[in-house]
């Protein structure tokens, strides 16, 4: 396999991992003001993702770094093209990140309530924007022969990208609700369960609609054949399985269901892209591909060696972190955030 | 307005802001880790309280560092996409490695450290804060490797077909002397920043509670580390100056406002510049002193700004290769001046300890809390010197800043985000300082690690 393909795969894995892990963080952040009826409950909710959220966020920072190192043209066009969207995302990530740390450092109810809603907003915006951004990569954007994005912010908003945004958003909230049902005890868990019960249906619909438009509204079926429909279908089946297991109160299995849903939604997008990385709507020849956007072979070789050594290590200690904090947050669990 | 100028302001503001938090993270992490290690070794609960007290301040600061750091990684592509296209083959690698090696390590283990007090054995828990320290210091190394390449590009060729810089020697990139001088200087500055932070807060408490053993110990440790670190910053700075003169002579002599090649060269003590900031109107000079500073003897040629400008015109074509001399000159003097002041203050602090806290000096102690901002000013001045001294280049000798910006951005777009970042950062700075001073003032006993939990204020 060519190194460009290896790096495309690795970046796909980084995005998939990011959406699976940060997906429930976003969902939990969005659900925070609704599922936590008292301050204690809200703290329990934040503490449920407390040890993980920052490590989860590094997945996207690494994905960004990997794109920069392996496909600098992709990095340049993507980040400059999505300028305002990314600025908005950064504003959201900034207030959300400090929100977790700062919220419980002051007892005034107004202080805590303000941070709760900032955490909500800071989780909602990126959850929605990631869907919008990813769909636009596949749908195509006005990119000229110099790989420069020549459109405006409004080009990013179209039915397909907005529906994909809603699909990501609803999927992440569902994912977060199931996560909370597993990680918190008591009333919060019950409320999370009833939220998940109401949410899995809409999430399924949005993911299937987004997947359908992805298949037939872009060139995906033309290029890859109708069998490429298997990816969004598996995503849908994952969500269906999640709904089924929520009904049976098998929340561990339900969580695996949303993991599959998120993973295959992401895979749908990246499979549709490959071997392109950003599609030009102006001229197919101006699309960025793993070849014309790539770094030199030497850089890719160096980076492959680095990745081979350190990715397994990261997976190892992140798994250890999840293992260490596998227990549920209970009424009497010491709360740090 | 010029979008390049606006983008430079945005990058300057977001970078300087980010670097308010980084040095304290770098230095204070060691402090917390050492305190917790002593606790593990001795079983003395007092050290656990010390580790948790400084750890709380570390966490508030760390959060700000993390969220402002993401902005930087994104901005290379958002505002400086032509730069990213040109250097991505080289510059992207250390950035990706920084995320993979350092960011994962520090953020994952910090999460374990915060929440792991009751879940891990004492030794294992102490190990997690060491992982955070290793992670944050590794992060500094890799980002400085990236920045050093912009100052002194090595290990690359210009691809004739694509016209971009490509990596041919990874070892040269990593072992760029510039990077290691930077690293030495920055880590020392991080230690100094943390030491004066600890010194100031400990002094605050010692004024109120003379017998506080834990704050005496913190004060003592901070005084020693502060002096050593401030001296190390200076020594590293000296070698950086020598290397700068070799690889970026323009930046070096701009920081001295040395206009004409001379041997021996005079040192300018104070200078006034015209409104362009590039020409000098008046300067108070000490003969031979500049040669003395560089070569440690009263002779030796130092090239002048005018001669280097002429040399660069011959080498790179017509253009203005002189950075903003007034800015380089004064940031350099502020940085060095504060460094010397910090050494003096550290000696004063040690004197207090060795004379066993003489009563007649005690009133000076309360002023020590105001030394906390000093390293912050010096750190900021240092980066302004480094980054503006390199201008007009974004990558020295290869790419000019004016050619590095994203071509699709209008001035209005950049102005919008510039205002957005500035407003958010201004508000967060107030919140951050409020929380830091709240927990710093609260002291060891009251600043329980666990935030106070009132009886459901929202019911």
């Amino acid at each position: 396999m060519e190194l460009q393909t290896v790096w495309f795969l690795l970046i796909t894995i980084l995005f998939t991992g990011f959406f699976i892990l940060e997906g429930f963080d976003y969902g939990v952040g969005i659900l925070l003001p609704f599922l936590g009826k008292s301050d204690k409950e809200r703290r329990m909710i934040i503490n449920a993702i407390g040890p993980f959220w920052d490590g989860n966020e590094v997945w996207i920072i690494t994905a960004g770094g990997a794109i920069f190192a392996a496909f600098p043209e992709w990095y340049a066009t993507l980040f400059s093209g999505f300028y305002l969207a990314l600025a908005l995302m950064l504003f959201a990530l900034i207030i959300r990140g400090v929100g977790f740390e700062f919220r419980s450092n002051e007892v005034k109810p107004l202080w805590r309530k303000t941070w709760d809603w900032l955490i909500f907003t800071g989780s909602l915006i990126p959850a929605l924007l990631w869907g919008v951004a990813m769909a636009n990569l596949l749908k195509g954007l006005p990119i000229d022969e110099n790989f420069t994005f020549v459109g405006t912010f409004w080009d990013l908003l179209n039915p397909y990208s907005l529906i994909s945004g809603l699909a990501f958003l609803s999927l992440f909230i569902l994912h977060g609700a199931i996560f909370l049902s597993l990680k918190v005890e008591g009333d919060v868990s019950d409320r999370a369960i009833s939220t998940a019960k109401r949410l899995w249906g809409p999430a399924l619909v949005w993911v299937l609609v987004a997947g359908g438009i992805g298949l037939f509204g872009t060139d995906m079926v033309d290029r890859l054949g109708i069998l490429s429909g298997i990816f969004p279908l598996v995503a849908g089946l994952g969500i269906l399985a999640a709904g089924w297991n929520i009904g049976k109160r098998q929340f561990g299995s339900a969580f695996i269901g949303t993991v599959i849903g998120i993973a295959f939604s992401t895979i749908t997008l990246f499979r549709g892209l490959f071997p392109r990385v950003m599609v030009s709507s102006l001229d197919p020849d101006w699309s960025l591909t793993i070849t014309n956007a790539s770094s030199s072979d030497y850089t890719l070789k160096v980076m492959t060696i680095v990745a081979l050594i350190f990715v397994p290590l990261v997976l190892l200690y992140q798994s250890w972190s999840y293992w260490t904090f596998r227990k549920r947050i209970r009424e009497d669990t010491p709360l740090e955030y | 307005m010029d979008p390049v100028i606006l983008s430079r302001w945005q990058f300057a503001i977001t970078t300087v802001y980010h670097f308010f938090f980084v040095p304290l993270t770098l230095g204070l992490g060691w402090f917390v880790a050492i305190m917790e290690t002593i606790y593990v070794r001795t079983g003395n609960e007092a050290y656990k309280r010390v580790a948790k007290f400084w750890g709380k301040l570390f966490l508030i600061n760390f959060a700000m560092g993390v969220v402002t750091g993401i902005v930087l990684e994104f901005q290379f592509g958002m505002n400086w996409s032509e730069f990213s296209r040109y250097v991505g083959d080289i510059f992207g690698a250390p950035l990706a490695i920084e995320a993979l090696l350092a960011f994962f390590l520090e953020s994952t283990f910090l999460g374990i450290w915060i929440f792991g007090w009751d879940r891990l054995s004492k030794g294992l828990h102490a190990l997690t804060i060491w992982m955070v320290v290793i992670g944050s210091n590794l992060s500094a190394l890799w980002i400085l490797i990236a920045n050093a390449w912009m100052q002194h590009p090595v290990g690359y060729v210009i691809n004739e077909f694509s016209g971009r810089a490509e990596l041919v020697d990874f070892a040269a990139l990593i072992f760029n002397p510039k990077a290691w001088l930077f690293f030495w200087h920055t880590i020392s500055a991080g230690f100094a920043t943390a030491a004066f932070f600890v010194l100031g807060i400990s002094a605050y408490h010692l004024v109120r509670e003379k017998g506080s053993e834990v704050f005496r110990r913190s004060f003592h440790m901070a005084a020693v580390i502060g002096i050593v670190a401030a001296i190390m910053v200076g020594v590293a700075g000296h070698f950086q100056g020598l290397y700068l003169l070799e690889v970026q002579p323009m930046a070096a002599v701009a920081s001295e406002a040395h206009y004409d090649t001379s041997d021996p060269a005079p040192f300018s003590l104070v200078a006034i510049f015209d409104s362009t900031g590039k020409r000098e109107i008046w300067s108070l000079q000490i003969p031979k002193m500049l040669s003395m500073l560089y070569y440690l003897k009263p002779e030796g040629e130092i090239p002048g700004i005018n001669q280097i400008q002429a040399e660069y015109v011959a080498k790179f074509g017509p253009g203005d290769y002189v950075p903003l001399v007034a800015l380089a000159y004064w940031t350099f003097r502020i940085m060095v001046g504060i460094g010397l002041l910090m050494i003096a203050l550290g000696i004063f602090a040690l004197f207090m300890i060795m004379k066993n806290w003489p009563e007649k000096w005690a009133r000076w102690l309360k002023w020590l809390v105001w030394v906390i901002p000093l390293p912050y000013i010096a750190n900021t001045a240092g980066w302004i010197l480094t980054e503006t001294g390199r201008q007009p280049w974004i990558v020295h000798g290869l790419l000019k800043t004016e050619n590095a910006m994203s071509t699709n951005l209008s001035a209005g777009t950049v102005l919008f985000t510039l205002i957005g970042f500035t407003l958010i950062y201004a508000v967060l700075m107030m919140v951050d300082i409020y929380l830091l001073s709240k927990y710093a003032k609260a002291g060891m006993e009251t600043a329980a690690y666990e935030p106070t939990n009132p009886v459901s204020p929202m019911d």
Side-chain angles (χ1 to χ4, degrees), chain B residues 7-21:
Chain B
S7 281
R8 286 185 62 189
W9 270 108
Q10 182 170 310
F11 202 87
I13 287 172
T14 52
T15 309
V16 163
Y17 192 84
H18 175 60
F19 206 71
F20 282 144
F21 309 102

Side-chain angles (χ1 to χ4, degrees), chain B residues 112-135:
Chain B
I112 303 173
W113 186 76
I114 298 173
F115 289 85
W117 286 98
D118 305 321
R119 289 189 178 82
L120 300 177
S121 71
K122 283 200 292 189
L124 202 54
H125 189 263
L127 185 70
T128 62
I129 191 70
W130 281 111
M131 290 294 149
V132 176
V133 171
I134 293 170

Side-chain angles (χ1 to χ4, degrees), chain A residues 14 37-40 42-43 46-47 50-55 57-62 64-66 68-69 72-77 79-84 86-87 89-91 93-95 97-98 101-109 111-113 115-116 130 146-150 288 293-296 298-299 302-303 306-307 310-311 314 317-318 320-321 324-325 327-329 333-337, chain B residues 7 10 56 59-60 62-64 66-68 70-79 81-85 87-97 99-101 103-105 107-120 124 128 164 166-171 406-409 413-414 416-418 420-421 424-425 428 431-432 434-435 438-439 449-454 456-459:
Chain A
L14 284 167
K37 298 293 183 197
S38 68
D39 182 56
K40 173 88 179 175
R42 290 189 180 182
R43 290 189 64 188
I46 298 173
N47 278 262
F52 314 123
W53 75 269
D54 193 10
E57 194 167 276
V58 178
W59 282 74
I60 194 60
I61 300 174
T62 306
F68 198 176
E73 297 284 351
W74 183 13
Y75 173 79
T77 305
F79 282 71
S80 59
F82 287 2
Y83 186 86
L84 280 176
L86 287 174
M89 176 120 60
L90 286 171
F91 295 159
L93 293 179
I94 290 168
I95 54 168
V98 292
E101 180 60 46
F102 289 176
R103 180 202 178 273
S104 297
N105 281 331
E106 179 62 71
V107 290
K108 294 190 191 80
W111 168 282
R112 294 194 171 183
K113 213 169 196 169
W115 283 115
D116 288 343
W130 281 120
N146 299 317
F147 296 159
T148 301
F149 174 79
V150 290
L288 283 85
S294 135
S295 275
S296 64
Y298 179 78
T299 297
V302 170
M303 290 307 298
V306 173
F310 288 100
V311 171
V314 170
Y317 62 68
Q318 280 214 335
W320 180 61
S321 158
T324 305
F325 301 105
K327 286 207 181 105
R328 280 173 187 269
I329 308 281
T333 306
L335 300 175
E336 302 290 356
Y337 275 153
Chain B
S7 281
Q10 182 170 310
K56 181 70 200 174
L59 287 179
I60 293 169
F62 189 93
M64 293 289 284
V66 167
V67 297
T68 54
I70 309 171
V71 176
L72 299 188
E73 198 212 30
F74 280 31
Q75 268 190 119
F76 294 120
M78 287 167 64
N79 295 69
S81 61
E82 294 309 304
F83 163 81
S84 300
R85 288 182 210 285
V87 305
D89 194 76
I90 300 152
F91 192 84
L95 248 61
I97 295 172
L100 193 56
L101 257 68
F103 291 160
F104 268 127
L105 198 65
S107 57
T108 308
F109 281 99
L110 190 67
I112 303 173
W113 186 76
I114 298 173
F115 289 85
W117 286 98
D118 305 321
R119 289 189 178 82
L120 300 177
L124 202 54
T128 62
R164 69 176 182 181
E166 289 186 353
L167 187 63
V168 288
D169 187 349
F170 185 62
S406 306
T407 51
N408 65 317
L409 298 183
T413 307
V414 182
F416 174 76
T417 56
L418 171 61
F421 280 117
I424 291 178
Y425 279 9
L428 284 185
V431 175
D432 183 65
Y434 165 73
L435 285 177
K438 176 189 162 178
Y439 280 93
Y449 188 81
E450 184 177 342
T452 42
N453 188 28
S456 307
M458 237 159 299
D459 286 342

Side-chain angles (χ1 to χ4, degrees), chain A residues 232-260:
Chain A
L233 208 62
V234 174
L237 283 175
I239 300 167
L240 199 63
W244 174 263
N245 281 294
I246 291 165
K248 293 201 306 176
R249 302 190 66 83
Q250 299 287 331
F251 302 110
S253 308
F255 190 73
I256 294 171
T258 45
V259 166
I260 291 170

Side-chain angles (χ1 to χ4, degrees), chain A residues 210-228:
Chain A
I213 307 178
L215 286 178
F216 300 103
T218 73
D219 56 7
M220 198 162 163
V221 166
D222 292 342
R223 288 175 61 243
L224 304 171
I226 192 69
L227 275 181
S228 60

Side-chain angles (χ1 to χ4, degrees), chain B residues 378-393:
Chain B
N379 294 335
T380 305
W383 272 114
I384 293 174
L385 169 64
T386 303
E387 291 298 294
T388 66
R390 191 190 56 232
Q391 303 301 326
W393 302 106

Side-chain angles (χ1 to χ4, degrees), chain A:
Chain A
M1 202 178 343
E2 283 185 6
L3 286 178
Q4 279 91 345
T5 312
V6 171
W7 276 88
F8 184 90
L9 262 176
L10 186 62
I11 288 163
T12 307
I13 292 169
L14 284 167
F15 268 96
T16 310
F18 170 69
F19 288 136
I20 290 171
L21 297 172
E22 192 79 336
F24 64 71
D25 290 341
Y26 288 150
V28 168
I30 293 165
L31 291 169
L32 168 71
F34 306 105
L35 299 190
K37 298 293 183 197
S38 68
D39 182 56
K40 173 88 179 175
E41 287 181 354
R42 290 189 180 182
R43 290 189 64 188
M44 289 166 70
I45 290 171
I46 298 173
N47 278 262
I49 55 168
F52 314 123
W53 75 269
D54 193 10
N56 293 345
E57 194 167 276
V58 178
W59 282 74
I60 194 60
I61 300 174
T62 306
I67 292 178
F68 198 176
F71 304 105
E73 297 284 351
W74 183 13
Y75 173 79
T77 305
L78 176 70
F79 282 71
S80 59
F82 287 2
Y83 186 86
L84 280 176
L86 287 174
L88 195 61
M89 176 120 60
L90 286 171
F91 295 159
L93 293 179
I94 290 168
I95 54 168
R96 170 178 170 274
V98 292
F100 292 134
E101 180 60 46
F102 289 176
R103 180 202 178 273
S104 297
N105 281 331
E106 179 62 71
V107 290
K108 294 190 191 80
L110 179 66
W111 168 282
R112 294 194 171 183
K113 213 169 196 169
T114 308
W115 283 115
D116 288 343
W117 285 102
L118 288 174
I119 290 171
F120 164 81
T121 315
S123 305
L124 181 83
I125 290 173
L128 191 72
L129 278 180
W130 281 120
V132 173
M134 301 305 290
N136 276 315
L137 296 185
L138 179 59
K139 176 184 164 288
L141 288 165
I143 293 169
D144 71 8
E145 70 272 32
N146 299 317
F147 296 159
T148 301
F149 174 79
V150 290
T152 68
F153 175 70
W154 307 109
D155 287 313
L156 306 181
L157 305 179
N158 49 70
Y160 172 46
S161 71
L162 289 174
I163 288 170
S164 296
L166 286 175
F168 268 52
L169 178 64
S170 54
L171 192 47
F172 289 161
I173 302 176
L174 174 66
H175 195 44
I178 298 172
F179 179 81
L180 279 179
S181 77
L182 287 165
K183 293 295 287 184
V184 181
E185 246 181 29
D187 294 346
V188 173
S189 182
D190 294 338
R191 282 181 222 125
I193 292 165
S194 60
T195 306
K197 272 183 185 156
R198 274 178 288 158
L199 261 179
W200 73 265
L204 177 65
V205 172
W206 287 121
V207 167
L208 286 180
V209 172
I213 307 178
L215 286 178
F216 300 103
T218 73
D219 56 7
M220 198 162 163
V221 166
D222 292 342
R223 288 175 61 243
L224 304 171
I226 192 69
L227 275 181
S228 60
I230 194 106
F231 301 112
L233 208 62
V234 174
L237 283 175
I239 300 167
L240 199 63
W244 174 263
N245 281 294
I246 291 165
K248 293 201 306 176
R249 302 190 66 83
Q250 299 287 331
F251 302 110
S253 308
F255 190 73
I256 294 171
T258 45
V259 166
I260 291 170
I262 292 171
F264 276 84
S265 299
T266 316
I267 292 168
T268 306
L269 289 161
F270 279 90
R271 182 64 194 96
L273 273 173
F274 186 82
R276 304 160 304 176
V277 290
M278 278 183 97
V279 175
S280 170
S281 57
L282 304 178
D283 185 329
D285 287 343
W286 299 344
S287 292
L288 283 85
T289 69
I290 59 165
T291 319
N292 67 23
S294 135
S295 275
S296 64
D297 258 357
Y298 179 78
T299 297
L300 289 176
K301 252 179 231 160
V302 170
M303 290 307 298
T304 306
I305 294 166
V306 173
L308 281 175
I309 298 170
F310 288 100
V311 171
L313 265 177
V314 170
L315 291 176
L316 210 65
Y317 62 68
Q318 280 214 335
S319 310
W320 180 61
S321 158
Y322 280 93
W323 174 251
T324 305
F325 301 105
R326 64 194 178 280
K327 286 207 181 105
R328 280 173 187 269
I329 308 281
R330 304 183 334 184
E331 286 280 331
D332 59 351
T333 306
L335 300 175
E336 302 290 356
Y337 275 153

